[in-house]
Amino acid sequence: MKTFTILGTGWLGLELAKSLQNQYKIKVSSRTKEKISFYEELGFETYVLNEKQTNNLDKLLDCNYLFINFPPSKFDNYVEFLNTIYSYEKIKDIEKIFFISSTSVYPKEDGVYDENSVINTPTSQKVFDAEIAIKDKTDVIFRCSGLIGGNRIAGKRLSAKEVKDSNSLVNHIHRDDIISATNFVIQNNINGVFNLTASITPTKKEVYKNNSIKHNFEPSIFLDISKKNRIIDGSKITKLGFKYKYENPLLFD
């Protein structure tokens, strides 16, 4: 049985691990010791990994597939931490390395952005710098739009709060589609940079209002200050045969 390592076992990584555990031996990392026993009870080989504790990398990188999925905001120096991971000799023997990035690498200005778009002013410099640091050493980069699914419901955290630019278009991706895309590129031995995003882009107001009704929470206070038309094109991977399960954020489970 091949081994699949997930570095960063949070909201996305944990569900990916659960979905793959019948196919692979699963290794996962945790930033703290608190979740070790929980992950081990689920059947995963678990190691602590953070900026100050990297001695477990040798065991974690002994795998066939590597899925790197960290929130950059959790690190003092995200690029330096990534460079530490990629400097290990064992990483060169891994069959396929995944890196979860974000569509915040693209500018925040109006426009349609695909994987060939020139990026001069990224929305997030930290995410952009991370991609630059790892792109030549990574097989698959997923640039994900706003992550939704499971207990993560668009608009819930903004219940009864003011929301600016509520007529702006939103770009979302369901967690299940990221997991499906991971399986898809492994099965078809595909490499490259891919935007992952639902093709339908409703407005922020439509999504938040719809979810407040569906999930029974108080709607936001919508301020229609301006409308932004920033659209992420996620069709590159579909041209290779991938099919999104969730194309419309208004219909996300």
Side-chain angles (χ1 to χ4, degrees):
M1 181 178 284
K2 291 187 175 183
T3 300
F4 197 111
T5 291
I6 299 171
L7 301 185
T9 318
W11 175 82
L12 170 60
L14 179 57
E15 289 306 308
L16 176 65
K18 289 177 180 178
S19 73
L20 295 176
Q21 65 185 143
N22 291 330
Q23 300 169 247
Y24 305 100
K25 176 183 177 182
I26 304 294
K27 296 182 182 181
V28 301
S29 79
S30 173
R31 292 177 61 249
T32 63
K33 293 181 180 179
E34 281 71 27
K35 291 186 178 179
I36 292 285
S37 59
F38 172 68
Y39 292 148
E40 288 180 341
E41 286 174 6
L42 293 174
F44 310 138
E45 193 173 312
T46 311
Y47 302 92
V48 172
L49 176 66
N50 55 49
E51 282 177 289
K52 296 181 180 180
Q53 188 170 343
T54 60
N55 57 301
N56 287 319
L57 272 172
D58 208 47
K59 295 175 181 176
L60 285 162
L61 298 181
D62 184 10
C63 62
N64 302 96
Y65 302 106
L66 177 65
F67 189 90
I68 302 173
N69 173 44
F70 295 111
S73 61
K74 298 291 186 181
F75 296 86
D76 293 329
N77 192 325
Y78 186 45
V79 171
E80 184 179 314
F81 181 66
L82 292 174
N83 285 334
T84 297
I85 294 171
Y86 280 86
S87 68
Y88 270 66
E89 192 67 25
K90 276 187 177 179
I91 206 165
K92 297 176 183 178
D93 298 324
I94 296 174
E95 290 181 37
K96 196 177 292 290
I97 301 172
F98 294 83
F99 184 82
I100 298 300
S101 184
S102 165
T103 53
S104 62
V105 297
Y106 298 116
K108 59 183 175 183
E109 287 77 25
D110 289 2
V112 178
Y113 298 97
D114 64 18
E115 295 83 354
N116 294 318
S117 295
V118 176
I119 304 172
N120 294 318
T121 54
T123 299
S124 171
Q125 189 66 44
K126 185 176 283 191
V127 173
F128 180 75
D129 291 343
E131 266 204 29
I132 295 299
I134 59 86
K135 66 176 184 178
D136 294 330
K137 299 171 282 189
T138 302
D139 302 295
V140 179
I141 297 175
F142 285 151
R143 292 174 176 167
C144 299
S145 284
L147 304 171
I148 301 296
N151 62 352
R152 188 174 290 188
I153 301 165
K156 189 170 184 178
R157 292 174 65 181
L158 294 168
S159 172
K161 297 179 181 178
E162 291 185 350
V163 173
K164 298 179 180 179
D165 305 324
S166 60
N167 281 325
S168 297
L169 303 181
V170 292
N171 300 273
H172 285 304
I173 181 69
H174 196 285
R175 178 171 60 186
D176 290 355
D177 278 326
I178 302 174
I179 294 171
S180 295
T182 302
N183 278 307
F184 175 79
V185 298
I186 291 176
Q187 292 166 4
N188 293 280
N189 195 25
I190 293 169
N191 294 335
V193 179
F194 299 98
N195 292 336
L196 293 184
T197 187
S199 62
I200 297 174
T201 54
T203 66
K204 193 181 294 184
K205 180 191 287 187
E206 287 174 324
V207 173
Y208 291 8
K209 200 170 184 179
N210 176 74
N211 284 345
S212 71
I213 296 170
K214 187 188 298 185
H215 298 283
N216 194 30
F217 59 83
E218 191 173 345
S220 302
I221 302 166
F222 300 108
L223 305 178
D224 301 333
I225 295 175
S226 63
K227 181 177 181 179
K228 296 178 181 178
N229 291 306
R230 180 177 179 272
I231 297 174
I232 307 301
D233 181 350
S235 65
K236 178 181 175 181
I237 194 169
T238 64
K239 292 172 182 176
L240 299 175
F242 178 72
K243 293 183 179 179
Y244 289 96
K245 180 180 178 181
Y246 297 95
E247 291 278 19
N248 187 349
L250 294 174
L251 300 177
F252 280 13
D253 290 340

